[in-house]
Amino acid sequence: MNKQLLRAMLLLFGCYVVAASAADCDSSTEGCVEVGKWQVAVALGVGVRTNPVIDNEDIPLYVIPQVSYNGERFFLQNLDLGFILFEDDTRQFNLLLTPSYDQVFFRRWDVNNFVLTENLVSEPGPMFGSANDAYHKLIDTDQLRKRRMAGLAGFEYNQQFNKLDVQVHALQEFTGYHDGQELRIALARHFLAGQHHWILSAGAIWQSGDVLDYYYGIREGEGGTLDYRYDPGSGVSGVARVDWNYRINDRWSLTFTTAYRQLASGIRRSPIVNDDKVITSFIGGVYHF
């Protein structure tokens, strides 16, 4: 996507958000009531996200804030910001701003460590060559360049088929770190039984070579004296996820989430990666303000 076109789209997006917020409520009108409602909650419990990057510890999950807002057009879901371009009873087409989640493995206190969102299962690609243990021992992780959290902008499409939800994201990086693209596809099935709510979901995410090179590639001279360059190329990762929620009362609910991400072959072969998967699990109570 052309960067000038993307900047124009973001500017238009900002104008839409301002217009939508203004349209919700005219302060000069007596008895004005805003459309939409903020929902704020915090999950308290025990969880972990495994970290496949060498010399980096698994990420503990104890406190998970949850913030959402749904207006007539504008919506916010934790770190995702969107504007509805079109919707009917079963379909929705949106503009979307969202972060890249791969940076979470390189910074312990990254903002993404306070949400349970996972990149959107496919057959894993073949492994080529021998194990990377020899390279792991030669890389000085203190000399690796910084991997920063990139911002992604693009389009989101949602469609419902009875109790099956389909979601597609087409995204372009706009913060100037790698200029890569991501395509995310997910299917989710909802099950309701009394106060119990189950969601089973599976999906795949394609990431361009620019994305994977920025996070998992090795450039000449990086990581110490190792004279080696690694360019993973593009790749597809997959995710399977289970969510359970039980509503106790208006204030409290119980929640459990577990997700399995099968890393793309290009990520798995990286000299700075020593696992082929990421597992995220969390169980706890949620207080709704």
Side-chain angles (χ1 to χ4, degrees):
M1 183 182 296
N2 183 279
K3 280 197 170 184
Q4 292 183 346
L5 177 60
L6 180 59
R7 292 191 182 99
M9 186 183 76
L10 293 177
L11 178 61
L12 182 61
F13 174 82
C15 295
Y16 276 150
V17 169
V18 172
S21 299
D24 283 348
C25 184
D26 183 354
S27 60
S28 64
T29 303
E30 187 176 354
C32 170
V33 178
E34 291 186 356
V35 174
K37 180 181 179 181
W38 286 93
Q39 296 183 353
V40 180
V42 59
L44 306 172
V46 177
V48 66
R49 176 180 282 124
T50 63
N51 196 328
V53 176
I54 60 173
D55 294 343
N56 286 346
E57 297 179 354
D58 293 341
I59 303 158
L61 302 170
Y62 300 121
V63 181
I64 310 294
Q66 302 172 1
V67 179
S68 65
Y69 173 82
N70 291 288
E72 289 185 345
R73 291 293 181 184
F74 165 73
F75 65 88
L76 173 70
Q77 183 67 41
N78 292 324
L79 301 179
D80 293 344
L81 181 68
F83 182 82
I84 301 171
L85 297 174
F86 165 82
E87 68 175 337
D88 59 20
D89 292 340
T90 60
R91 296 171 297 171
Q92 190 178 83
F93 185 60
N94 310 318
L95 288 174
L96 184 70
L97 297 179
T98 185
S100 174
Y101 293 102
D102 291 84
Q103 197 267 349
V104 69
F105 304 121
F106 299 91
R107 186 178 178 184
R108 187 177 183 86
W109 297 110
D110 184 79
V111 65
N112 285 321
N113 284 325
F114 295 93
V115 296
L116 288 176
T117 304
E118 292 285 345
N119 282 341
L120 301 177
V121 180
S122 62
E123 289 292 328
M127 291 291 289
F128 296 101
S130 59
N132 288 322
D133 290 346
Y135 288 125
H136 294 163
K137 296 175 182 178
L138 293 173
I139 290 179
D140 182 357
T141 54
D142 291 333
Q143 296 188 36
L144 293 175
R145 57 186 164 82
K146 289 185 178 180
R147 274 79 168 168
R148 303 184 183 277
M149 183 177 71
L152 304 173
F155 299 99
E156 176 186 59
Y157 178 75
N158 299 296
Q159 185 158 358
Q160 294 180 337
F161 299 93
N162 295 322
K163 294 183 179 180
L164 183 67
D165 294 338
V166 180
Q167 183 182 73
V168 179
H169 289 173
L171 303 167
Q172 165 72 47
E173 193 269 343
F174 67 90
T175 44
Y177 294 129
H178 55 69
D179 196 34
Q181 300 83 37
E182 294 191 13
L183 179 63
R184 307 171 182 174
I185 302 174
L187 301 175
R189 180 72 161 84
H190 296 252
F191 300 89
L192 297 173
Q195 299 296 94
H196 299 270
H197 182 193
W198 292 87
I199 305 175
L200 306 181
S201 56
I205 175 170
W206 172 86
Q207 294 172 292
S208 70
D210 290 328
V211 178
L212 297 190
D213 179 60
Y214 179 76
Y215 289 109
Y216 305 103
I218 295 293
R219 298 171 184 175
E220 293 181 5
E222 183 180 7
T225 60
L226 181 64
D227 185 16
Y228 181 76
R229 174 177 173 81
Y230 177 71
D231 184 353
S234 62
V236 178
S237 298
V239 166
R241 176 169 169 161
V242 178
D243 292 271
W244 169 79
N245 184 271
Y246 179 82
R247 192 79 180 204
I248 299 174
N249 52 43
D250 290 342
R251 291 293 183 183
W252 284 98
S253 63
L254 300 177
T255 188
F256 170 75
T257 295
T258 186
Y260 179 95
R261 179 182 174 188
Q262 179 67 50
L263 299 176
S265 60
I267 299 176
R268 302 198 306 269
R269 292 197 301 265
S270 171
I272 63 172
V273 171
N274 60 5
D275 204 346
D276 63 351
K277 62 186 178 299
V278 175
I279 298 175
T280 301
S281 294
F282 179 84
I283 187 169
V286 182
Y287 182 79
H288 304 265
F289 293 92

